[in-house]
């Protein structure tokens, strides 16, 4: 075995010898995924539904009764005006408000009944599920009603809900969160641990020993990054299995494409960790440097807030953020089954970022320490 | 014979401030050269440049005739460098540390085994092979670091303050090991802030603010101290202080029960006479390396 293989072997030996490291790498992500996953997949029960019905009639009464009779929903306080509906939602005294139009029956007979529904979007996943269930109940009941109107309408009974979310209008769902969390975990592992492990050798003085050994600086960089790349792929495998088995996410696209994209992304994070190590002389500095960039990357990645909703200036800024592209890619692969052709732009951007950052890191590393 | 280490006019500045000015030296096989100076004198800067870890602003370093800047790869097997801080992995055992460094240098299994035995015996670390390096005492850590540095049998050993923070007994033991290495034909370049350690080197250079202000064999250097030292036993410091006030430039130091009076050679007779009148008998005290060093630092050289 050459010196590179020896260095990789030593890195693994050190990682697995440190019980904190092992827990950090393997246990924490699993806990995080489960906690976050559990938080967003709670079953709905006892959701309070209020009704805003300016002209109460048998039709609206029957529809709201149908909703209230299910296990999921219970009656909320009555609402008289739209502004009162908003107040109750903001104060948390009700969870959603059904808004019946005055001419509901006429519209339903024409086949295009539209109800307004106000929801609190802060708990996005719950709101999304509630909306879907109200819709299902109303459709069922409307169809029953319509069976008594035969012959009177060509497409009778259609009821559509027109949701109005307060806050979080884009409604991020668990399906969008879990793939993105996977990326976040990989980012932390690869960038932070690379930075820390290089700076640790600086602190110990062993880096200079390695530099005067026959190891070339390229071998040194590879020896430091390969073990963490391998661990990151392990992390990806665990998180992907958890996403499919525990969170029932449909993995529509190709695992191979997912791995390829993650490889490109790892060039960015491993390179970023190396760059952090060249400007840091203690592990704390390295962690802080990585953390600083991490926060901006997350906020500008579409992880929480869709890029499309950002102000123009920030939207331009996201082009400099590789995390934006990898999140776009994993969401595409998971949820839409996107292939390489659909993802050509983000893949290309990610490749450019990866090659750029890693080359820069290699060059800086050589210059700084050698 | 080609010197093992040959440094000519080496210079380096940090942010425009010179850290090392015009350092030149030659070191032959079996020689031990000491680089002595206070913290910040430029010792580490000089040694890092000699190892090729730092690019010099001027001058050149040759190891067995090879240029460190140009032939870096060829030089690496020839030098062992022990940086100022402990250079080993605290979470790996003594054996694992030795093994990692021997593998890094591409030694065969037989070579590894053979050198491991020899270095463990040499450093007296055999009973601790399975212990984690982090759990070793300061002196043992230092010996392990030395063993790791020696595993590829370098011709030149560069040690940057190897015993800083180590207890006196372990320091003694460590320097005995270095003496063995030099007798075995290795060339050693050692930096230290300790004068007792400097005395053990064949040749020393006093480095101050990046410049060599004096150099030579330790005995030569202490002998070239340009002033005289008189020793008084059991005298009353207050009375002596009063007495020497008449002599400009005489310095009084206390060493336990004895007093050292440092004076210029032309003051010696008068001072002795004055002391004798006060019933005090002063004996000449041979200067030490430390006396020479402090004088050189204060006056910029060992000239009178």
């Amino acid at each position: 075995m050459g010196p590179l293989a020896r260095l990789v072997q030593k890195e693994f030996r050190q990682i697995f010898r440190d019980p904190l490291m092992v827990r950090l790498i393997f246990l924490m992500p699993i806990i995080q995924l489960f906690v976050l996953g559990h938080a967003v997949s709670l079953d709905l029960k006892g959701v309070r539904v209020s009704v805003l019905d300016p002209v109460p009639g048998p039709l609206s009464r029957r529809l709201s009764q149908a909703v209230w009779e299910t296990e999921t929903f219970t009656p909320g306080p009555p609402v008289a005006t739209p502004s009162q509906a908003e107040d109750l939602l903001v104060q948390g005294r009700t969870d959603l408000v059904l808004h019946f139009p005055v001419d509901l029956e006429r519209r339903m007979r024409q086949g295009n009944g539209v109800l307004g529904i106000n929801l609190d979007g802060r708990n996005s996943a719950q709101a999304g599920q509630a909306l879907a269930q109200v819709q299902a109940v109303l459709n069922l009941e409307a169809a029953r009603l319509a069976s008594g109107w035969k012959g009177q309408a060509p497409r009778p009974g259609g009821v559509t809900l027109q949701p109005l979310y307060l806050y979080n209008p884009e409604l991020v769902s668990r399906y969008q969160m879990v793939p993105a969390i996977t990326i976040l975990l990989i980012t932390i592992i690869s960038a932070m641990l690379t930075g820390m492990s290089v700076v640790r050798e600086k602190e110990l003085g062993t880096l200079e020993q390695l530099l005067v050994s026959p190891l070339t600086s390229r071998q040194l960089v590879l020896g430091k990054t390969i073990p963490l790349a391998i661990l990151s792929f392990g992390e990806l495998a665990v998180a992907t299995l958890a996403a499919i088995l525990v969170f029932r996410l449909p993995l529509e696209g190709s695992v191979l494409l997912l791995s390829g994209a993650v490889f490109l992304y790892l060039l960015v994070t491993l390179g970023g960790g190396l760059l952090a190590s060249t400007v840091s002389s203690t592990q704390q500095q390295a962690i802080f440097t990585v953390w600083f960039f991490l926060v901006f990357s997350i906020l500008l990645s579409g992880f929480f807030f869709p890029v499309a909703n950002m102000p123009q200036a920030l939207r331009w800024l996201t082009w400099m953020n590789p995390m934006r592209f990898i999140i776009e890619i994993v969401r595409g692969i998971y949820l839409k089954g996107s292939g390489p052709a659909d993802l050509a732009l983000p893949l290309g951007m990610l490749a450019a970022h990866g090659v750029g950052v890693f080359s820069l890191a290699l060059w800086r590393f050589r210059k700084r320490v050698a | 014979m080609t010197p093992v280490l040959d440094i000519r006019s080496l210079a380096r500045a940090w942010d425009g401030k010179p850290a090392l000015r015009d350092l030149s030296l030659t070191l032959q096989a079996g020689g031990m050269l000491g680089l002595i100076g206070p913290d910040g004198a430029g010792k580490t800067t000089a040694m890092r440049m000699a190892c090729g870890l730092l690019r010099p602003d001027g001058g050149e370093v040759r190891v067995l005739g090879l240029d460190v800047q140009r032939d870096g790869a060829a030089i690496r097997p020839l030098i062992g460098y022990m940086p100022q801080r402990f250079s080993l992995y605290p979470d790996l055992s003594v054996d694992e540390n030795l093994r990692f460094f021997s593998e890094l240098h591409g030694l065969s299994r037989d070579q590894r085994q053979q050198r491991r035995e020899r270095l463990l015996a040499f450093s007296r670390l055999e009973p601790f092979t399975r212990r984690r390096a982090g759990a070793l005492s300061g002196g043992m850590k230092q010996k392990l670091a030395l063993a790791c540095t020696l595993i590829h049998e370098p011709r030149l050993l560069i040690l940057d303050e190897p015993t800083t923070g180590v207890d006196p007994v372990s320091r003694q033991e460590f320097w005995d090991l270095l003496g063995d290495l030099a007798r075995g034909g290795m060339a050693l370049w050692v930096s230290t802030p300790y004068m007792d350690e400097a005395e053990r080197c064949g040749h020393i250079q006093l480095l101050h603010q990046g410049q060599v202000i004096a150099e030579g064999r330790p005995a030569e250097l202490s002998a070239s101290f340009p002033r005289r030292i008189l020793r008084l036993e059991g005298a009353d410091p207050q009375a002596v202080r009063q007495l020497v006030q008449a002599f400009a430039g005489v310095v009084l130091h206390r060493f336990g029960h004895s007093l050292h009076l440092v004076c210029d050679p032309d003051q010696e007779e008068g001072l002795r006479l004055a002391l004798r009148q006060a019933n005090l008998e002063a004996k000449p005290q041979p200067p030490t390396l430390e006396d020479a060093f402090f004088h050189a630092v204060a006056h910029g050289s060992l000239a009178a």
Side-chain angles (χ1 to χ4, degrees):
Chain A
M1 277 202 274
L4 172 58
R6 294 305 184 179
L7 185 57
V8 170
Q9 192 184 27
K10 185 218 81 177
E11 293 296 315
F12 272 119
R13 185 173 283 160
Q14 285 187 302
I15 290 169
F16 287 109
R17 181 149 301 174
D18 186 347
L20 182 69
M21 228 34 162
V22 175
R23 270 177 253 164
L24 207 71
I25 294 173
F26 293 102
L27 225 51
M28 280 308 288
I30 294 172
I31 292 171
Q32 281 179 7
L33 263 177
F34 273 69
V35 168
L36 285 166
H38 193 65
V40 295
S41 64
L42 281 173
D43 286 334
L44 290 180
K45 242 183 195 147
V47 176
R48 292 159 299 177
V49 179
S50 298
V51 168
L52 175 58
D53 190 3
V55 192
L59 181 64
S60 58
R61 198 169 308 128
R62 195 170 155 183
L63 285 176
S64 31
Q65 277 299 334
V67 172
W68 288 333
E69 272 165 15
T70 61
E71 282 204 7
T72 312
F73 303 103
T74 59
V79 174
T81 65
S83 70
Q84 195 194 356
E86 201 174 319
D87 287 346
L88 286 175
L89 278 168
V90 170
Q91 290 158 13
R93 287 166 58 200
T94 190
D95 296 309
L96 58 87
V97 179
L98 280 176
H99 193 159
F100 288 96
V102 245
D103 54 348
L104 180 65
E105 183 166 347
R106 185 178 58 79
R107 287 186 185 206
M108 277 178 71
R109 283 177 191 277
Q110 287 167 1
N112 64 344
V114 176
L115 271 74
I117 180 166
N118 292 17
L119 305 113
D120 180 352
R122 275 178 296 191
N123 191 338
S124 57
Q126 281 198 346
Q129 285 188 27
L131 177 66
Q133 291 194 26
V134 171
Q135 176 79 67
V137 173
L138 289 177
N139 276 351
L140 200 68
E141 199 55 31
R144 269 193 215 135
L145 274 169
S147 59
W149 296 338
K150 257 185 192 137
Q152 290 189 340
R155 287 178 292 119
V159 176
T160 316
L161 289 174
Q162 194 160 55
L164 173 66
Y165 290 106
L166 300 175
Y167 320 112
N168 196 3
E170 289 283 321
L171 201 63
V172 178
S173 78
R174 151 179 72 130
Y175 282 3
Q176 301 225 296
M177 282 306 260
V178 170
I181 291 170
T182 308
I183 290 306
L184 197 59
L185 295 175
I186 289 173
T187 310
I188 293 173
I189 292 283
S190 52
M192 225 166 241
L193 294 190
T194 305
M196 280 167 69
S197 91
V198 174
V199 176
R200 203 168 93 97
E201 302 246 6
K202 260 195 205 177
E203 285 180 337
L204 290 172
T206 43
L207 191 62
E208 305 218 304
Q209 287 282 29
L210 297 181
L211 289 170
V212 296
S213 79
L215 212 59
T216 64
S217 60
R218 185 180 309 159
Q219 283 174 326
L220 182 55
V221 164
L222 290 178
K224 279 281 159 195
T225 48
I226 286 172
L228 294 170
I230 293 173
L231 283 179
S232 300
F233 273 105
E235 199 85 58
L236 177 69
V238 171
T240 306
L241 281 178
I244 296 169
L245 299 178
V246 181
F247 303 105
R248 305 279 164 202
L249 243 69
L251 177 54
E252 306 274 359
S254 129
V255 177
L256 201 66
L257 183 60
L258 182 66
S259 308
V262 167
F263 175 77
L264 293 179
Y265 183 63
L266 281 175
L267 290 179
V268 176
T269 55
L270 297 170
L274 284 176
L275 280 175
S277 77
T278 61
V279 298
S280 313
S281 46
T282 64
Q283 292 185 64
Q284 287 94 319
Q285 284 174 352
I287 293 173
F288 196 79
T289 310
V290 170
W291 182 245
F292 181 82
F293 284 98
L294 201 59
V295 169
F296 280 102
S297 303
I298 294 170
L299 291 179
L300 291 179
S301 68
F303 187 99
F304 295 115
F305 323 112
V307 173
N309 284 13
M310 292 176 188
Q312 186 59 51
L314 286 187
R315 236 182 299 165
W316 279 327
L317 216 55
T318 63
W319 282 81
M320 289 162 58
N321 181 9
M323 196 189 275
R324 174 207 151 159
F325 298 106
I326 185 71
I327 284 187
E328 222 171 292
I329 292 167
V330 289
R331 282 182 177 159
I333 293 174
Y334 261 99
L335 308 176
K336 293 193 269 181
S338 309
D342 310 308
L343 298 170
L345 177 67
L347 278 171
M349 284 304 295
L350 197 58
H353 274 288
V355 171
V357 172
F358 203 80
S359 315
L360 181 68
L362 209 72
W363 176 69
R364 289 291 301 168
F365 197 77
R366 244 179 229 179
K367 207 176 127 122
R368 261 323 253 237
V369 297
Chain B
M1 200 168 75
T2 317
V4 178
L5 179 62
D6 189 4
I7 294 181
R8 301 257 169 88
S9 312
L10 199 60
R12 170 78 199 204
W14 292 114
D15 300 324
K17 240 189 104 205
L20 190 71
R21 284 180 270 196
D22 198 28
L23 176 76
S24 297
L25 61 89
T26 53
L27 177 59
Q28 299 288 349
M32 199 195 282
L33 177 66
L35 190 60
I36 321 298
D39 287 348
K43 304 191 293 288
T44 301
T45 303
M47 291 189 154
R48 295 189 43 152
M49 285 194 285
C51 295
L53 288 172
L54 189 66
R55 201 173 285 278
D57 292 341
E60 62 167 9
V61 178
R62 288 182 175 277
V63 174
L64 290 161
L66 297 166
D67 186 297
V68 165
Q69 286 300 312
R70 272 205 313 271
D71 312 307
I75 279 168
R76 284 174 180 192
L78 302 175
I79 56 175
Y81 172 50
M82 196 166 133
Q84 197 166 5
R85 283 168 297 180
F86 298 141
S87 282
L88 31 79
Y89 300 99
D91 46 356
L92 298 184
S93 72
V94 168
D95 237 353
E96 286 168 336
N97 267 293
L98 273 174
R99 184 160 172 194
F100 172 64
F101 283 106
S102 61
E103 286 170 345
L104 208 56
H105 284 94
L107 301 187
S108 73
R109 181 183 288 266
D110 285 349
Q111 279 175 317
R112 267 199 336 246
Q113 205 51 38
Q114 202 185 344
R115 290 187 196 176
R116 170 185 177 272
E117 312 260 300
R118 215 181 51 227
L119 285 170
L120 284 175
F122 166 74
S123 57
R124 290 181 215 112
L125 284 170
E126 288 128 320
F128 311 105
T129 49
R130 297 174 68 88
R131 190 181 289 190
R132 284 197 193 183
L136 295 174
S137 73
M140 288 200 285
K141 275 183 195 163
Q142 220 57 1
K143 287 192 289 185
L144 175 58
L146 180 65
C148 291
T149 312
L150 293 173
I151 196 93
H152 60 293
E153 299 193 333
R155 304 276 301 275
L156 168 65
L157 188 58
I158 298 178
L159 304 120
D160 192 1
E161 297 198 8
T163 54
T164 299
V166 175
D167 70 87
V169 176
S170 302
R171 270 173 52 193
Q172 190 84 23
E173 205 184 347
F174 190 84
W175 275 86
D176 290 342
L177 293 181
L178 295 188
D180 292 345
L181 291 172
R183 272 186 292 282
M186 197 177 281
L188 281 85
W189 190 26
V190 195
S191 77
T192 177
Y194 301 121
M195 294 304 146
D196 57 330
E197 294 185 347
E199 307 257 12
R200 290 179 171 239
C201 299
H203 187 97
I204 54 180
Q205 293 182 308
L206 300 186
L207 194 65
H208 181 58
Q209 295 177 345
Q211 255 176 324
V212 175
I213 52 174
E215 67 177 299
R217 289 191 293 116
E220 282 170 10
L221 281 182
S222 20
S224 61
F225 179 61
R227 307 189 77 189
R228 298 288 160 83
I229 304 172
L230 297 174
R231 191 179 78 235
L232 286 169
E233 297 290 350
D236 172 21
Q238 279 312 102
V240 177
R241 197 178 298 278
Q242 293 245 314
L243 204 145
V244 301
Q245 265 174 1
F247 298 85
V250 172
V251 186
L252 181 72
H253 297 297
R254 286 179 73 164
F255 288 90
H257 287 292
S258 57
L259 295 173
H260 286 190
L261 295 172
V262 185
C263 63
D264 287 334
D266 56 356
Q267 294 174 307
E268 192 182 353
E269 266 323 295
L271 189 58
R272 278 185 173 224
L273 209 65
L275 288 167
R276 206 168 291 139
Q277 280 163 3
N279 266 333
L280 292 166
E281 190 55 42
K283 295 202 174 71
Q285 167 78 24
T288 62
L289 195 55
E290 195 157 351
D291 295 315
F293 178 72
F294 283 127
H295 183 87
V297 167
H299 297 84
S301 79
L302 269 178

